[in-house]
Amino acid sequence: MTTPTYTERNFPIHTAETAPEASKTPMIWYAETFGMVPNLAGILAESPALLTSYWQTQNNLLSNAALTSQEINVVQTSVAHANACQYCVAGHTAFGKMDVFGNTDEQLNAVRHDKPFEDAKMDALRDFTLLVLRNQGRMASSQLQSFIDAGFSRQAALDVVACVAAKVMSNYANQIALTPVDEAFAPLTADLPYREERVARPKSVTAE
C-alpha cells in the first residue's frame, strides 16, 4: 500500500491507491486520460465532494457547453491568471496543448502575457470572462450585448459562469493547500510574474 506525500501545510497529495473510496473514480479517470494524476487532483481527493464537483463540472463543460474546448480552456486559463494561481496557469498551458483542448501557442501566450489575441472573438471572450469574475456577474446590458455581438450565445455566457466556478474550486484549493506544481508543469511557471506570490503578503500597519 502506497502512502501519500504531503504539502507544506500537511494536506495529503493522494494517489489513486491512497484516495478515499469516493474519490477513486475521478482519480482513475485522470490517470487514464492524462497518463498521470496531477497534484491538484491529489489534493482535491481529500474531499470527495470537492474533487467530484470539480471533475464533473469539467466533464459537463466539455460535453454540453456552447463554448468549444479551445474556448473553455481560454476562459479557465484567464481566470487562473487573474487569480494569480501559478499551478492552474501552468496546468492549463500543458493540457491546453493536448488534443482534448487543442489550443494554439498563440492563444496560450496571449492569456499568460496579457496580449491581444489574433482572433478578436477570443479577445471578447476573455474580456467577458474577466468582467464576470471581477464584478461577480454584474454588468450593463450593453456589455452582455457586446459579448453576443462577438458571436457568442446566451448559453455561452452561462457556460462562462460554470468555467469560473470550476476555477474557484481549483484556484482556491491550491492556495489553501499550497499545492506543489507537478514536475512536468514546473517549466511553465518560469515566466509568470506571480511565481513567488502564492501566499498573500500581510497588509502593512502604519504606526500612528
Side-chain angles (χ1 to χ4, degrees):
M1 179 72 176
T2 59
T3 57
T5 55
Y6 290 82
T7 73
E8 60 190 270
R9 286 186 172 166
N10 212 33
F11 282 82
I13 308 173
H14 285 290
T15 65
E17 292 76 27
T18 68
E21 190 63 32
S23 291
K24 288 190 182 297
T25 296
M27 293 288 277
I28 293 169
W29 179 88
Y30 276 104
E32 292 178 348
T33 301
F34 297 115
M36 62 177 292
V37 176
N39 287 341
L40 169 63
I43 293 293
L44 299 185
E46 183 71 2
S47 168
L50 181 55
L51 176 60
T52 303
S53 296
Y54 180 74
W55 174 62
Q56 289 180 339
T57 300
Q58 297 288 40
N59 280 319
N60 279 332
L61 280 163
L62 289 172
S63 297
N64 299 313
L67 297 171
T68 68
S69 57
Q70 280 192 346
E71 290 166 347
I72 288 168
N73 201 51
V74 165
V75 171
Q76 295 198 15
T77 310
S78 297
V79 173
H81 183 59
N83 285 336
C85 181
Q86 66 171 5
Y87 183 98
C88 281
V89 173
H92 278 282
T93 301
F95 290 138
K97 296 174 184 289
M98 296 183 177
D99 289 342
V100 65
F101 293 115
N103 290 110
T104 65
D105 287 336
E106 180 274 328
Q107 290 170 341
L108 295 168
N109 288 331
V111 176
R112 290 167 57 92
H113 301 298
D114 300 306
K115 295 184 180 299
F117 290 91
E118 293 176 358
D119 181 354
K121 187 177 180 182
M122 283 293 189
D123 275 319
L125 178 61
R126 176 172 57 187
D127 290 346
F128 184 78
T129 296
L130 297 180
L131 181 67
V132 170
L133 176 68
R134 291 166 176 164
N135 291 357
Q136 299 84 46
R138 298 174 180 87
M139 64 186 66
S141 295
S142 60
Q143 292 172 310
L144 173 60
Q145 190 60 49
S146 292
F147 179 68
I148 293 169
D149 290 345
F152 294 100
S153 65
R154 283 174 170 77
Q155 180 189 342
L158 298 178
D159 290 340
V160 168
V161 175
C163 289
V164 171
K167 287 300 92 185
V168 166
M169 286 189 266
S170 60
N171 295 171
Y172 289 15
N174 284 332
Q175 301 314 317
I176 291 171
L178 294 184
T179 308
V181 179
D182 300 80
E183 184 176 348
F185 307 157
L188 298 172
T189 68
D191 60 345
L192 297 178
Y194 38 82
R195 187 179 183 192
E196 303 300 333
E197 297 297 327
R198 299 179 68 200
V199 182
R201 296 178 179 178
K203 293 181 180 179
S204 59
V205 177
T206 302
E208 296 184 359

